[in-house]
Amino acid sequence: MGSPPPLLNTDGFYRTLVENAAEGMLTIDEGSNIVYANPAVEDILGYTPQELIGSSKMKIIPERLEPVHVAALESYVETGARNIDWNGIELPALHKDGHEVPTLISLREHEHDGEQYFTGIIRDITERRRRKNQLQDQKERLNEFADILTHDIRNPLSVAQGYTDVARESHEIPELERISESLARIGDLVDDILELSKEGRSIGETESIDIEASVRESWANVETQQATLRIEDGMGSVTADKSRFQELLENLFRNSVEHGSTGNRTQSGDAIEHGSEAVTVRVGGLLGEAGLYIADDGPGIPDSIRPEVFDHGYSTNQAGTGYGLSIVYQIVEGHGWEITITESAEGGARFEIRW
């Protein structure tokens, strides 16, 4: 296999560790000559250690990058200035068969008998790069889908808003004002959801928000049927993106109303009946902690499915989309908060958000 680098000559224990490491290791001198290679290098680059030791490191450098590597090493030896991140930089390496391998390289410097040596720890990141590209492709397709979807929603929404405006000019009907407000809110949600789909956990400008006021406003934006809202005094304020915070509350309220009232839910094929025609939703601060709880007296969420309810598309309501709680989770994560699910005092669902 060739001679190990000078620092490994006298310590069999450390030499054994290095030669059995999963990562590839190469040591070069000031002249870019390879003085050591461990066995793992062969799995990454196809060369045996014997084929590399004694040759120039340029053997594994793509031709177009050779001048850059030479200049970088010479500059460091002369000035001591590091022009790259020694703790991990992505660089292509040349495989024995000629193809390039994406690698992550960490560098270390050591000295022996007045000579300078550099050791690179090499990791093959081909699979990680493949997954990254795959995720990027999926993100682009999602963005395209979101653009099409919101375009198709905006068209009938604009028509409905137009007819509502005409009706309001001709008739003084209070319900028309509520319809107009709801249509405007749908338009805002379409914009927010489109932005959320494109930016993942992105949160916009934050401000200090009165929690009770946001709770009441969000409740008014939800079709609550015969549900009742109970608000605890003294919840104070929170620093958040106001639109996102209201969207979070609205989705949690909608979840309680849809899953709590008349409770006809299906879980594992069994109907879970809730005796009350209307659910009561309680909102308050967490005792001794900075945060908020939203609890109801519905049938609750079984322990077995709590880890899944925030997943995209998961719903125990056959008429549900399964995206409400997923949006809640993204908004919570985007603010750097934490959300958990427990059982309320009445046996229903209780969501606790900590910030």
Side-chain angles (χ1 to χ4, degrees), residues 116-181:
Q116 217 169 0
Y117 295 93
F118 304 90
T119 294
I121 301 171
I122 307 169
R123 297 175 180 87
D124 184 346
I125 58 171
T126 301
E127 182 59 23
R128 188 172 82 178
R129 183 70 60 82
R130 185 192 67 79
R131 290 197 301 270
K132 181 179 178 181
N133 292 338
Q134 186 180 43
L135 288 172
Q136 181 61 34
D137 290 342
Q138 291 175 346
K139 183 175 184 292
E140 290 174 0
R141 288 196 297 271
L142 175 62
N143 289 344
E144 183 179 357
F145 171 76
D147 285 334
I148 295 171
L149 180 62
T150 52
H151 177 268
D152 290 345
I153 290 175
R154 283 194 181 101
N155 282 342
L157 187 63
S158 297
V159 172
Q161 184 68 69
Y163 278 114
T164 302
D165 291 342
V166 171
R168 288 174 63 195
E169 292 174 1
S170 307
H171 304 85
E172 293 185 3
I173 302 175
E175 287 77 10
L176 289 175
E177 180 66 27
R178 291 297 303 274
I179 292 173
S180 181
E181 291 175 358

Side-chain angles (χ1 to χ4, degrees), residues 71-103:
L73 182 60
E74 289 179 350
S75 173
Y76 177 75
V77 170
E78 291 176 5
T79 68
R82 299 183 180 183
N83 298 316
I84 61 173
D85 183 2
W86 280 34
N87 291 320
I89 182 171
E90 293 188 15
L91 291 171
L94 195 61
H95 194 276
K96 183 179 180 179
D97 65 14
H99 79 274
E100 292 186 7
V101 179
T103 64

